Amino acid sequence: MCNGPLITKMEINVNDILGKQIPQLVALITREITDRKGKKEQWASFKNRHDDALCDILGVDPSWGIQAGSLIGFDIDDERKLILLNYSASAHNLLHEIDGGWTPVLRQMRGLVYAFEVPGRVEGVTLASRGFEKFFNQSELPETSIDVLSAASGNNGLLCTAKEDGHMIEYFMHDRKLCATTRGRLGTPSATAALDMIQRSTFMKAQVVAKRFGKDLMSLVCEFVHPMTRVHVDYGDAKKLFLLEAYDTYGETVGQSVLTAIA
């Protein structure tokens, strides 16, 4: 199983995760896998051969008895040299039962998109877009219990929101082109349809607005409501975007005032 130093529950800077640790993962994967065909043919073997390195990067404790590679999934676009990273269904099913199972790194792997210049090299790996980090329902984990949430909110009260339906869509620029993706795969029909709802010029206007606040806008995160996304809630024939969040080039939220101005 896994050997070597592990990332534990200590406080870790998200910038280090997004800017240093995960680029190492991208370089490790693209050293051998650079397209979807390679993923299909090599990923099972790759996970076995590089289990130690994957444990080290993801912060997986060897005592869990879980293959680290089974906790993540990815999609790769060899033409655009983009890779999308996401936690797997196995992670969702297994990690809730493990104290500290949702490591700081795994929590960030929820629709992370990286550009890579040279396969197998950390240099040139840059964050292109991101979605929300992994979030949890009330009382799903000890940290989201009513008592903990009440203590954290103090006298200010706590605003809780519900996720109803639709798809999360990330908009970002790559090679001077506006791109869109869902958190699980590049080039989905939803992402293609979402590009009909925001123009490149609109995204660039959002960048200008963010710049006024001293922020370099990287990506917009929206809930995409469309007839093709209907799962639980019937929106009829509605085609709408709800702006949920925006991130700068460091992968940090731009803040509520900037988000409001962009909206």
Side-chain angles (χ1 to χ4, degrees), residues 43-70:
W43 181 235
S45 170
F46 183 97
K47 289 187 291 186
N48 289 326
R49 289 183 287 105
H50 295 287
D51 191 47
D52 288 352
L54 291 171
C55 281
D56 188 31
I57 294 171
L58 300 176
V60 174
D61 191 315
S63 67
W64 298 347
I66 299 174
Q67 184 190 60
S70 69

Short mmCIF file of all heavy atoms in Angstrom, two decimals, residues 43-70:
data_model
loop_
_atom_site.label_atom_id
_atom_site.label_comp_id
_atom_site.label_asym_id
_atom_site.label_seq_id
_atom_site.Cartn_x
_atom_site.Cartn_y
_atom_site.Cartn_z
N TRP A 43 -5.09 3.46 -17.35
CA TRP A 43 -5.37 3.99 -16.01
C TRP A 43 -5.39 2.91 -14.95
O TRP A 43 -4.85 3.11 -13.84
CB TRP A 43 -6.68 4.76 -16.02
CG TRP A 43 -7.07 5.37 -14.71
CD1 TRP A 43 -8.24 5.19 -14.03
CD2 TRP A 43 -6.31 6.28 -13.90
NE1 TRP A 43 -8.27 5.92 -12.87
CE2 TRP A 43 -7.09 6.61 -12.76
CE3 TRP A 43 -5.04 6.85 -14.03
CZ2 TRP A 43 -6.64 7.46 -11.76
CZ3 TRP A 43 -4.59 7.72 -13.02
CH2 TRP A 43 -5.39 8.00 -11.91
N ALA A 44 -5.96 1.75 -15.22
CA ALA A 44 -6.01 0.68 -14.21
C ALA A 44 -4.60 0.27 -13.79
O ALA A 44 -4.30 0.12 -12.60
CB ALA A 44 -6.78 -0.52 -14.76
N SER A 45 -3.74 0.09 -14.75
CA SER A 45 -2.35 -0.28 -14.46
C SER A 45 -1.62 0.87 -13.78
O SER A 45 -0.84 0.66 -12.83
CB SER A 45 -1.63 -0.67 -15.75
OG SER A 45 -0.25 -0.81 -15.54
N PHE A 46 -1.86 2.07 -14.25
CA PHE A 46 -1.20 3.26 -13.71
C PHE A 46 -1.49 3.40 -12.21
O PHE A 46 -0.58 3.67 -11.42
CB PHE A 46 -1.69 4.49 -14.47
CG PHE A 46 -1.03 5.78 -14.05
CD1 PHE A 46 0.03 6.28 -14.77
CD2 PHE A 46 -1.50 6.50 -12.95
CE1 PHE A 46 0.63 7.49 -14.40
CE2 PHE A 46 -0.91 7.69 -12.57
CZ PHE A 46 0.16 8.18 -13.30
N LYS A 47 -2.74 3.21 -11.82
CA LYS A 47 -3.13 3.36 -10.41
C LYS A 47 -2.37 2.38 -9.52
O LYS A 47 -1.99 2.74 -8.40
CB LYS A 47 -4.64 3.14 -10.26
CG LYS A 47 -5.50 4.23 -10.83
CD LYS A 47 -6.97 4.03 -10.49
CE LYS A 47 -7.56 2.85 -11.22
NZ LYS A 47 -9.03 2.74 -11.01
N ASN A 48 -2.15 1.18 -10.01
CA ASN A 48 -1.42 0.18 -9.23
C ASN A 48 0.06 0.53 -9.11
O ASN A 48 0.65 0.47 -8.03
CB ASN A 48 -1.57 -1.20 -9.86
CG ASN A 48 -2.95 -1.78 -9.70
OD1 ASN A 48 -3.60 -1.55 -8.68
ND2 ASN A 48 -3.42 -2.52 -10.70
N ARG A 49 0.65 0.92 -10.23
CA ARG A 49 2.08 1.17 -10.26
C ARG A 49 2.48 2.44 -9.51
O ARG A 49 3.60 2.55 -9.02
CB ARG A 49 2.57 1.24 -11.70
CG ARG A 49 2.57 -0.10 -12.42
CD ARG A 49 3.13 -0.03 -13.82
NE ARG A 49 2.23 0.64 -14.76
CZ ARG A 49 2.41 1.87 -15.22
NH1 ARG A 49 3.45 2.59 -14.84
NH2 ARG A 49 1.54 2.40 -16.07
N HIS A 50 1.57 3.40 -9.42
CA HIS A 50 1.91 4.68 -8.81
C HIS A 50 1.11 4.93 -7.53
O HIS A 50 0.89 6.09 -7.16
CB HIS A 50 1.65 5.81 -9.81
CG HIS A 50 2.54 5.76 -11.02
ND1 HIS A 50 3.87 6.09 -10.98
CD2 HIS A 50 2.27 5.39 -12.30
CE1 HIS A 50 4.39 5.96 -12.20
NE2 HIS A 50 3.45 5.52 -13.00
N ASP A 51 0.73 3.87 -6.87
CA ASP A 51 -0.10 4.03 -5.67
C ASP A 51 0.60 4.85 -4.59
O ASP A 51 -0.02 5.70 -3.96
CB ASP A 51 -0.48 2.66 -5.12
CG ASP A 51 -1.56 2.76 -4.04
OD1 ASP A 51 -2.56 3.47 -4.27
OD2 ASP A 51 -1.39 2.15 -2.98
N ASP A 52 1.88 4.62 -4.39
CA ASP A 52 2.61 5.37 -3.36
C ASP A 52 2.59 6.87 -3.65
O ASP A 52 2.32 7.69 -2.76
CB ASP A 52 4.06 4.89 -3.27
CG ASP A 52 4.18 3.52 -2.63
OD1 ASP A 52 3.16 3.01 -2.12
OD2 ASP A 52 5.29 2.96 -2.64
N ALA A 53 2.89 7.23 -4.89
CA ALA A 53 2.92 8.65 -5.26
C ALA A 53 1.53 9.28 -5.16
O ALA A 53 1.40 10.42 -4.70
CB ALA A 53 3.47 8.80 -6.68
N LEU A 54 0.52 8.54 -5.56
CA LEU A 54 -0.84 9.06 -5.49
C LEU A 54 -1.27 9.25 -4.04
O LEU A 54 -1.94 10.23 -3.70
CB LEU A 54 -1.80 8.13 -6.22
CG LEU A 54 -1.65 8.08 -7.75
CD1 LEU A 54 -2.50 6.96 -8.35
CD2 LEU A 54 -2.03 9.43 -8.37
N CYS A 55 -0.90 8.31 -3.18
CA CYS A 55 -1.20 8.46 -1.75
C CYS A 55 -0.55 9.72 -1.20
O CYS A 55 -1.16 10.48 -0.45
CB CYS A 55 -0.67 7.24 -0.98
SG CYS A 55 -1.69 5.77 -1.08
N ASP A 56 0.69 9.93 -1.58
CA ASP A 56 1.44 11.08 -1.07
C ASP A 56 0.79 12.39 -1.50
O ASP A 56 0.60 13.31 -0.70
CB ASP A 56 2.87 11.01 -1.60
CG ASP A 56 3.77 12.06 -0.98
OD1 ASP A 56 3.53 12.43 0.18
OD2 ASP A 56 4.70 12.52 -1.66
N ILE A 57 0.41 12.49 -2.77
CA ILE A 57 -0.17 13.73 -3.28
C ILE A 57 -1.57 13.97 -2.73
O ILE A 57 -1.92 15.09 -2.35
CB ILE A 57 -0.21 13.70 -4.82
CG1 ILE A 57 1.21 13.70 -5.40
CG2 ILE A 57 -0.99 14.89 -5.36
CD1 ILE A 57 1.26 13.46 -6.90
N LEU A 58 -2.37 12.92 -2.66
CA LEU A 58 -3.78 13.06 -2.25
C LEU A 58 -3.97 13.07 -0.74
O LEU A 58 -5.05 13.41 -0.26
CB LEU A 58 -4.62 11.94 -2.87
CG LEU A 58 -4.64 11.87 -4.40
CD1 LEU A 58 -5.44 10.66 -4.86
CD2 LEU A 58 -5.23 13.15 -4.98
N GLY A 59 -2.93 12.68 0.01
CA GLY A 59 -3.05 12.64 1.46
C GLY A 59 -3.78 11.43 1.98
O GLY A 59 -4.38 11.47 3.06
N VAL A 60 -3.74 10.34 1.24
CA VAL A 60 -4.44 9.11 1.64
C VAL A 60 -3.59 8.33 2.63
O VAL A 60 -2.42 8.04 2.38
CB VAL A 60 -4.73 8.24 0.39
CG1 VAL A 60 -5.33 6.90 0.80
CG2 VAL A 60 -5.68 8.98 -0.54
N ASP A 61 -4.16 7.97 3.77
CA ASP A 61 -3.48 7.22 4.81
C ASP A 61 -3.47 5.74 4.45
O ASP A 61 -4.52 5.17 4.12
CB ASP A 61 -4.21 7.43 6.14
CG ASP A 61 -3.43 6.92 7.33
OD1 ASP A 61 -2.89 5.79 7.26
OD2 ASP A 61 -3.37 7.64 8.35
N PRO A 62 -2.31 5.06 4.52
CA PRO A 62 -2.24 3.64 4.15
C PRO A 62 -3.12 2.75 5.00
O PRO A 62 -3.55 1.68 4.56
CB PRO A 62 -0.76 3.30 4.32
CG PRO A 62 -0.21 4.35 5.20
CD PRO A 62 -0.98 5.59 4.89
N SER A 63 -3.43 3.20 6.24
CA SER A 63 -4.25 2.36 7.12
C SER A 63 -5.69 2.26 6.63
O SER A 63 -6.43 1.40 7.09
CB SER A 63 -4.22 2.91 8.55
OG SER A 63 -4.87 4.18 8.63
N TRP A 64 -6.09 3.12 5.69
CA TRP A 64 -7.46 3.05 5.18
C TRP A 64 -7.67 1.82 4.31
O TRP A 64 -8.80 1.38 4.12
CB TRP A 64 -7.78 4.29 4.35
CG TRP A 64 -7.73 5.58 5.12
CD1 TRP A 64 -7.67 5.73 6.47
CD2 TRP A 64 -7.71 6.89 4.57
NE1 TRP A 64 -7.62 7.06 6.81
CE2 TRP A 64 -7.64 7.80 5.66
CE3 TRP A 64 -7.74 7.40 3.28
CZ2 TRP A 64 -7.60 9.18 5.48
CZ3 TRP A 64 -7.70 8.77 3.08
CH2 TRP A 64 -7.63 9.65 4.18
N GLY A 65 -6.60 1.29 3.75
CA GLY A 65 -6.73 0.12 2.88
C GLY A 65 -7.42 0.43 1.57
O GLY A 65 -8.10 -0.44 1.00
N ILE A 66 -7.27 1.65 1.09
CA ILE A 66 -7.93 2.08 -0.15
C ILE A 66 -6.87 2.46 -1.18
O ILE A 66 -5.91 3.16 -0.86
CB ILE A 66 -8.84 3.30 0.09
CG1 ILE A 66 -9.94 2.97 1.09
CG2 ILE A 66 -9.45 3.80 -1.21
CD1 ILE A 66 -10.78 4.17 1.50
N GLN A 67 -7.03 1.98 -2.40
CA GLN A 67 -6.14 2.40 -3.48
C GLN A 67 -6.41 3.87 -3.78
O GLN A 67 -7.53 4.27 -4.09
CB GLN A 67 -6.38 1.56 -4.73
CG GLN A 67 -5.42 1.87 -5.88
CD GLN A 67 -5.84 1.19 -7.16
OE1 GLN A 67 -6.93 1.41 -7.66
NE2 GLN A 67 -4.96 0.34 -7.69
N ALA A 68 -5.37 4.69 -3.68
CA ALA A 68 -5.56 6.14 -3.81
C ALA A 68 -6.15 6.51 -5.16
O ALA A 68 -7.01 7.40 -5.25
CB ALA A 68 -4.22 6.85 -3.60
N GLY A 69 -5.72 5.84 -6.22
CA GLY A 69 -6.20 6.18 -7.55
C GLY A 69 -7.68 5.92 -7.76
O GLY A 69 -8.29 6.50 -8.66
N SER A 70 -8.26 5.07 -6.91
CA SER A 70 -9.69 4.79 -7.04
C SER A 70 -10.55 5.95 -6.55
O SER A 70 -11.75 5.97 -6.78
CB SER A 70 -10.06 3.52 -6.26
OG SER A 70 -9.95 3.74 -4.86
#
